[in-house]
Amino acid sequence: ALKKRGELDSNNDLVKFAIAVEEAVIETISSGTMTKDLQALFKKDGVEVKVANSKEFIEAIAANIKL
């Protein structure tokens, strides 16, 4: 939604931020950090799952954002 809003408003900074957040979420989950509800859906050989509460999950995503 943020990326689309940025595209509609010709706001390149918002588009870049939305892409960075999406990539950080994917990286965080792929590395094994996720909430319990996502754990049931996640299967990746060689990755140990670390179940995080919502705050910990958001903090992990924030740490992975590369702007």
Side-chain angles (χ1 to χ4, degrees):
L2 287 176
K3 181 179 174 187
K4 187 61 175 177
R5 182 77 263 163
E7 292 169 350
L8 293 171
D9 293 343
S10 298
N11 184 336
N12 290 329
D13 288 337
L14 183 56
V15 171
K16 289 177 187 175
F17 177 73
I19 292 169
V21 170
E22 180 180 2
E23 290 172 351
V25 169
I26 292 168
E27 180 180 340
T28 302
I29 294 171
S30 294
S31 71
T33 301
M34 64 196 74
T35 54
K36 190 173 183 177
D37 59 326
L38 294 175
Q39 178 188 17
L41 303 171
F42 182 80
K43 290 185 181 20
K44 186 174 178 184
D45 290 336
V47 177
E48 184 178 331
V49 173
K50 177 190 179 280
V51 176
N53 63 37
S54 295
K55 182 180 182 211
E56 293 167 338
F57 184 56
I58 291 170
E59 288 171 345
I61 293 168
N64 286 328
I65 293 176
K66 296 171 184 81
L67 296 174

